[in-house]
Structures are given as C-alpha cells and as structure tokens.
C-alpha cells in the first residue's frame, strides 16, 4: 500500500515572512503548493523543449532572486547560470545583493557590463561624444534609456542561452505585467515565466518561504534606472495596495462601483483600469493580418511544446 | 464479497505522444495485475495528454483501432479504464473513457459536458456525447463512467447510480488553480473536488473513484489527489497532490449493500416526480407551456417581463 496523503488538518494562518512585509490576507498563498507547482512547471517546460539548463538575469531585486531560487530548487544550482548585467549608474548594492544570491545558491554566474553597449547607442552625456543614435541620443529620456537597457540585457541573456545551452527564465511578476510596468521584448522576454501569475506581495511571501536573503526582501523595489528610483514612488501606490486593487478588479471581477465600496479611491481605480487596458498589447503576441486558410494564433493552434518540438 | 483491490494510475501523460502513453499504460496494467488489482483506472486523456488543440485529430483513435484493441487484449485478469480521443465513423472527435475487460472494449462513455469557459476550450475541438449509461462489469457490480466536468453536473452521478452503477468512476485532467492559504489542501480546485466526491458517494450510496492526472501541459499543472470514497462518504484513500504513482486501495464492495439497506436513498428516489417536473421545466423554457413562476407579463419562455 502506498502512503496516504492526508490533508493538513490545521490550516496555515501565519504566512511565511510575517513581519517582513505587508501581506493582504486575500493574497496569501500556500507556499508549499506554489513551490511544488512551479518546480514541476520549470522541469516540464525544460524537458519538453529539450533543455536541461536555465539562464536568469539577476538584478539584485526580489523578483529575479526568487526566480533563481525556484530554478535552482527545480533543476539544481549546477544547471543554472545567473547573469549580472549592471550599467555604470546601477546601485552598487544591486550587484552585491545579486552576488549574495549566487553565493547562497552555489550556481554558475557571469558578469556582463552593459555600459559599453548602451553608451555605444546613446553616446556619453557630458563628454558630448554621440553614439549610434546620433547627437539627439545624448538627451534621450530616462524611459528610452531604460527600455534600451532592458533590451540589451535581453540580448545578452539570449546570447548566453545559446552558449550555456539553457532557456531564459522570465522574472516579471503579475503586478508589473498587469499595469504594463515592463519593457516589451526587454525584461518581459523569456522562454518561460514561473512567477508571472504572482502579485508582488505574493512574490515577497514566496521569497521569504524559499529563503531569499532578508536584505533583498526588505529593500524598496526599483527598476534601478537612476539613483533613488523606486517603483512605489513612481506609481504613487504601495504594492500591497495596488496588488489588492488588481486582485479584486482582475481575479475577482469587481466593477469600479464595487471597488469603491471596498474602500479604493475612484482616482486609483481609474488609474489602474487605464493602466491595465493600456498595456494589453504588452501581454499578447502581435496580431497577424488574417489572409490564408490557417493562421498562427487564430485558427492554427498547437501547444508550443508538442511532438517534434524539442531541441534534438 | 471479496475485497476489490483498485489501482489508481495517477500519471503524467506526455502531450500528443500516443505511442509513449500507450506503452506506459501497458506497463502499468501489468504492474497493477502483479499487485493483485482487480481494477486499474487511468485519468482523462491519459493516452494523449490534455491540452491538444489542433493535435486532437492527429491522436484520435476509432474504437476498432488496433492500438486500442491491443490495450484491451492486455486487460485480462483485471478490468482497466482508459481514456483517449475517440473518432466516430462520421469523424466527430470525442473525449472518451472505455472499460476494457476480458480482452475487449466492454463499454465506452463519451464526455457529456465540455467546459468552454475560463481556461477551458473543449467545445472548440470536441463533440459532446449524447448517451449516459451504467455498464455491467466482470467485477460483479455495475460501473458508471464519467469524465471530469461531467461530475460538475448533479444529474450525472444520480443517473448513473439509478441506472445500476455501484461504483462511480470519474477520470479527470483537472488543472490546479486558485492557490489558497486558508484551505485544507492549499488549492481551491482540490477543495471543491473533495467536497463533490464525498457528497456524491453519500447521496448515491456508491463507491466513488476519482483519478486525476499530474504533470504539466503548457501553463497548466494538474494536481492529482486521486481518491476512493466509500458509499457512506468516508475517505478510503487520498493520493498525494502532484506525485506521480500507481496507488493501490482495497475496497469492500459489500459496503454498498450495507449502506443502501441502512440508508435507502436510492429506493426512495421519486423518479416519476423528477421526470414530471423536468418535463414541465423543459416545456416552459421552450415557451410551450405557461410558466407559473415567471413574472407577470413575461413572454413565453422568458422568466422576466420586458420593461
């Protein structure tokens, strides 16, 4: 007789990492089940694609740290390559926090400075030396610069995908994906994403459960594009607040009136609904004009992993 | 009555790889027989994988397909319940489950309810079955087969039990979702299913065997948690969530008689009442009879009056 898998008789009431961060009760997840599902997901995706290894871009932030832990847990640290890709204005703590993850996991890592690549395009402000973008590139906005940095990191990751022989694992969470706080073909590009259905608050809960260093869990989330930048200052929201709003709006299908009755302000509800609708294009594959009898994504519908699809 | 040893094949089928999955079924039928099982049950679409989309037509088998017949031929000395894409003579595709016994396909049940909402898109690829029948079996009791979503419709377990089933079997590819913290097993889907299975076993005073797959197709993970519930609603066995395995459970089929004598719910069922009221509701919905519960002024077939 095989052992009986009895359900736990006492439900978990104290979430992991209590005290480290604010976790709205409706967002709390069973982290044991989440780890199990995600590990199977990572192994299944790799196997079906014919890969045994993975590449993760480590920023020093919580999302990529969590993904590195989850991948190491699923396939072993020896099959994981973590890439640190700082720009010269990146916070020094970002690299040291990323290094702490690498050391704790005992995985392979590499450092690729992206400054020469970014500067070759935009030029170097202050020196007046223009880059490939021409003189106008010297005054490019922070958003343009941030997008190019994200896409250069993507380029480096996919190049290492070939040399390391591993799939690129995405690190975008559900909150930033829903509000479109991502760079299309940049940080949102990946072969698989294990945390894309977890809100930031849930990322924190899971990170605490898997043992991501506390310093990484505690620090303010940031795209690290300029000194002192933080996500929450830019959005004008705290993550627990935004996560709750998105959860009730998207997952629980509440109307704006119902959300207001729950205590969310009309202004924030409108902001969130606009952000979600306005970033729909970032979450979907680009549409193809329908002309032939069978069109990919329209009426030619196959699982992406199917017989014959694995790398041989 | 001899105890029946049931083998629950909580497997992770490989998507679209029919030959691999067939080989795995052969191996597990052997293993179940060697383990003394009288019945081995595989999950929904265990022979093909679940998220097939356009692959459905490529892995479909007719009931006279030699690969299916060879699998049936292997089912000697025990009964096997397997699931696959069935292609009918007129080229409709069904999600089907078959009872294999004594070397042949003894009974086939086509999935009746095809979920096409949320993460499901089954109606796009498949036709829905039109027949629901309990089947006699070599086990000496009637068996009622159903597939996943079929068990989310109250009539299905009831009809199967009334039609003579003493063992209700539901084979599933249930995608896990709604990860919850304050919950007995940490997964909303599992909690819902566990409630249904116990309720049906008790209300139909029948054994309920639930076999759900594990593994991953694309984005979705299947949670396993296969179970056997006794006719009084007691849990005989719960397989672990997510672990692949062949799990053996012993069931005393005499429990059906004992429970039905003690709790004669099926005896007391008012079939003519149910049929009469259903006929009335069908007529009212079709606008062929006056609906006494509709709002005043509502047109025939509509419960609500136009304003």
């Amino acid at each position: 007789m095989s052992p009986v898998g009895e359900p736990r008789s006492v439900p978990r009431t104290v979430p992991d990492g209590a005290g480290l961060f604010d976790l709205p009760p409706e967002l709390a997840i069973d982290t044991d089940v989440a780890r199990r599902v995600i590990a199977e997901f990572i192994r299944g995706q790799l196997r079906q694609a014919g890969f045994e290894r993975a590449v993760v871009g480590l920023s020093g932030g919580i999302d990529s740290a969590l993904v590195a832990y989850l991948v190491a847990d699923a396939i072993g640290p020896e099959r994981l390559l973590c890439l640190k890709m700082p720009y010269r204005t990146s916070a020094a703590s970002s690299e040291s926090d990323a290094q702490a993850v690498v050391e704790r996991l005992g995985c392979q890592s590499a450092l690729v400075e992206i400054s020469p690549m970014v500067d070759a395009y935009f030029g170097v402000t202050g020196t007046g030396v223009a880059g490939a973008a021409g003189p106008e590139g010297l005054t490019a906005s922070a958003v343009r610069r941030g997008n190019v940095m994200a896409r250069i990191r993507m380029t480096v990751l996919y190049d290492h995908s070939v040399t390391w022989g591993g799939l690129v694992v995405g690190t975008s969470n559900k909150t930033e994906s829903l509000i479109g706080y991502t760079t299309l073909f940049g940080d949102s590009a990946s072969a698989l994403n294990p945390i894309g259905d977890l809100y930031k608050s849930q990322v924190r809960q899971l990170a605490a459960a898997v043992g991501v260093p506390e310093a990484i869990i505690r620090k303010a989330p940031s795209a690290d594009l300029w000194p002192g930048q933080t996500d929450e200052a830019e959005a004008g929201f705290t993550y627990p607040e935004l996560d709750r709003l998105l959860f009730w709006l998207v997952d629980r299908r509440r109307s704006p009136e119902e959300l207001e009755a729950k205590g969310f302000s009309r202004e924030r509800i409108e902001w969130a609904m606009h952000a979600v609708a306005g970033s729909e294009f970032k979450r979907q594959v680009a549409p193809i004009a329908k002309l032939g009898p069978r069109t990919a994504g329209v009426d030619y519908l196959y699982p992406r992993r199917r017989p014959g699809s694995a790398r041989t | 009555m001899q105890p029946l040893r049931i083998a629950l094949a909580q497997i992770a089928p490989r998507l679209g790889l029919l030959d691999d999955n067939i080989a795995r079924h052969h191996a597990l039928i052997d293993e179940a027989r060697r383990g003394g099982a009288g019945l081995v049950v595989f999950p929904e679409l265990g022979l093909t994988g679940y998220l097939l989309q356009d692959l459905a037509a490529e892995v479909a088998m007719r009931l006279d397909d030699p690969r299916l017949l060879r699998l049936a031929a292997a089912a000697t000395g025990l009964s096997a319940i397997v699931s696959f894409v069935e292609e009918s003579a007129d080229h409709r595709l069904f999600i089907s489950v078959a009872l294999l016994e004594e070397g042949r396909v003894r009974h086939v049940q086509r999935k009746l309810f095809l979920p096409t909402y949320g993460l499901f898109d089954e109606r796009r690829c498949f036709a829905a079955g039109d027949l629901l029948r309990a089947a006699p079996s070599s086990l000496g009791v009637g068996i009622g087969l159903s597939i996943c979503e079929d068990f989310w419709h109250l009539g299905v377990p009831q009809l199967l039990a009334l039609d003579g089933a003493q063992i209700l079997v539901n084979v599933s590819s249930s995608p896990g979702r709604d990860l919850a913290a304050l919950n007995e097993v940490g997964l909303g889907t599992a909690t819902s299913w566990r409630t249904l299975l116990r309720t049906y076993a008790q209300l139909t005073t029948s054994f309920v065997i639930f076999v759900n797959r594990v593994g991953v197709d694309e984005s979705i993970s299947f949670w396993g948690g296969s179970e056997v519930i006794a006719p009084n609603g007691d849990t005989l066995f719960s397989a672990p969530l997510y672990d692949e395995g062949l799990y053996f459970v012993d069931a005393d089929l005499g429990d059906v008689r004992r429970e039905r004598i003690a709790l004669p719910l099926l005896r007391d069922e008012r079939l003519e009442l149910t049929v009469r009221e259903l006929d009335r509701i069908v007529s009212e919905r079709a606008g062929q009879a006056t609906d006494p519960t509709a709002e005043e002024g509502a047109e025939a077939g509509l419960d609500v009056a136009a304003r």
Side-chain angles (χ1 to χ4, degrees), chain A residues 5-207:
Chain A
E6 273 303 308
R8 281 192 300 275
S9 53
V10 182
R12 208 182 262 260
T13 49
V14 183
D16 313 271
L20 261 184
F21 48 85
D22 180 14
L23 177 64
E26 63 267 56
L27 294 179
I29 56 170
D30 187 310
T31 52
D32 291 341
V33 175
R35 290 170 75 171
R36 188 72 204 267
V37 170
I38 289 172
E40 287 289 336
F41 170 78
I42 292 168
R43 286 192 291 264
Q45 288 290 319
L46 290 175
R47 185 179 56 242
Q48 289 166 22
F51 285 79
E52 292 180 343
R53 292 171 155 196
V55 191
V56 174
L58 264 195
S59 67
I62 188 170
D63 299 314
S64 58
L66 172 60
V67 169
Y69 271 73
L70 294 170
V71 171
D73 185 41
I75 62 174
E78 70 283 359
R79 297 182 185 200
L80 167 64
L81 173 65
C82 281
L83 281 182
K84 294 172 291 177
M85 298 172 284
Y87 181 67
R88 52 186 166 74
T89 59
S90 300
S93 64
S94 297
E95 203 196 319
S96 58
D97 286 337
Q99 186 55 32
V101 169
V102 167
E103 282 166 18
R104 286 244 203 143
L105 291 177
C107 61
Q108 291 281 315
S109 73
L111 176 72
V112 178
E113 296 269 2
I114 63 166
S115 309
M117 299 169 76
V118 176
D119 293 348
Y121 182 69
F122 285 122
V124 181
T125 319
T127 67
V129 180
E136 183 269 341
L138 290 167
T139 56
S141 67
V143 170
R144 282 178 61 199
R145 295 181 64 84
N147 281 337
V148 164
M149 286 180 207
R151 292 186 182 120
I152 284 175
R153 290 188 175 112
M154 179 277 294
T155 303
V156 173
L157 280 167
Y158 272 86
D159 184 49
H160 281 76
S161 172
V162 177
T163 54
W164 175 251
L167 289 184
V168 175
V169 184
T171 62
S172 295
N173 64 57
K174 188 170 185 172
T175 309
E176 61 190 16
S177 166
L178 280 175
I179 63 170
Y181 198 63
T182 59
T183 295
L184 191 58
F185 309 121
D187 55 306
S188 68
S190 65
L192 63 144
N193 182 339
I195 64 163
D197 203 19
L198 293 177
Y199 289 106
K200 190 76 169 190
S201 305
Q202 297 170 325
V203 164
R204 288 168 168 162
Q205 191 197 351
L206 191 55

Side-chain angles (χ1 to χ4, degrees), chain B residues 277 280-281 283-285 289-296 302-303:
Chain B
E277 296 303 328
R280 173 182 64 79
I281 292 167
S283 299
E284 288 171 6
R285 283 193 175 189
T290 310
D291 182 350
T293 60
E295 274 184 23
E296 203 174 328
L302 300 176
D303 277 347

Side-chain angles (χ1 to χ4, degrees), chain B residues 67-181:
Chain B
R67 293 168 296 186
L68 184 62
L69 297 182
R70 275 197 293 277
L71 204 54
T76 52
L78 83 174
S79 306
I81 292 171
V82 304
S83 174
F84 53 98
V85 177
E86 178 200 348
E87 180 166 347
S88 62
D90 60 352
H91 310 297
R92 287 180 295 160
L93 305 180
F94 297 92
I95 298 175
S96 291
V97 59
L99 172 64
L100 312 179
E101 281 185 340
E102 294 157 10
R104 64 192 174 93
V105 179
R106 177 89 180 252
H107 177 65
V108 174
Q109 177 66 50
R110 293 168 171 171
K111 191 172 190 174
L112 301 169
F113 294 93
L114 301 173
T116 305
Y117 57 79
L119 75 168
F120 301 107
D121 201 14
E122 294 183 15
R123 199 69 178 85
R124 177 184 169 84
C125 309
F126 298 106
D130 290 309
L131 296 177
L132 180 64
R133 297 281 188 275
S137 78
S138 327
L139 304 173
V141 294
I143 289 193
L145 302 179
S146 63
I147 307 178
C148 204
E149 187 83 358
D150 293 344
F151 248 34
W152 285 77
H153 293 266
L154 270 174
V156 170
Q158 186 182 33
L159 288 167
L160 288 171
L162 290 169
D163 200 30
Q166 299 185 36
I167 300 177
L168 306 183
V169 178
N170 184 275
V171 299
S172 280
S173 284
S174 169
R177 53 209 186 277
D178 207 0
L179 223 60

Side-chain angles (χ1 to χ4, degrees), chain B residues 11-18 21-22 25 42-53 56 59-61 81-86 93-98 111 114 122 125-126 146-148 171-174 211 213-214 217 222:
Chain B
I11 57 170
R14 302 189 63 188
L15 187 59
L17 294 171
L18 192 55
N21 294 323
I22 289 173
H25 276 56
F42 292 87
E44 176 185 20
L45 294 178
L47 286 166
T48 62
Y50 176 74
L51 207 67
L52 292 162
Q53 299 181 296
V59 297
M61 291 190 287
I81 292 171
V82 304
S83 174
F84 53 98
V85 177
E86 178 200 348
L93 305 180
F94 297 92
I95 298 175
S96 291
V97 59
K111 191 172 190 174
L114 301 173
E122 294 183 15
C125 309
F126 298 106
S146 63
I147 307 178
C148 204
V171 299
S172 280
S173 284
S174 169
V211 174
R213 63 164 289 187
V214 290
D217 283 355
F222 302 91

Side-chain angles (χ1 to χ4, degrees), chain B residues 158-224:
Chain B
Q158 186 182 33
L159 288 167
L160 288 171
L162 290 169
D163 200 30
Q166 299 185 36
I167 300 177
L168 306 183
V169 178
N170 184 275
V171 299
S172 280
S173 284
S174 169
R177 53 209 186 277
D178 207 0
L179 223 60
L182 304 177
N183 174 314
E184 57 174 348
V185 287
L187 188 68
T189 327
T191 299
S192 305
W193 268 103
R194 293 167 63 91
T195 305
L196 296 184
L197 300 174
R198 284 153 184 75
T199 305
Y200 293 160
Q202 177 69 91
L203 292 183
T204 64
T205 48
S206 305
F207 278 97
V208 170
I209 300 174
F210 170 69
V211 174
N212 184 31
R213 63 164 289 187
V214 290
V216 181
D217 283 355
E218 308 286 284
S219 290
I220 56 184
S221 302
F222 302 91
W223 53 276

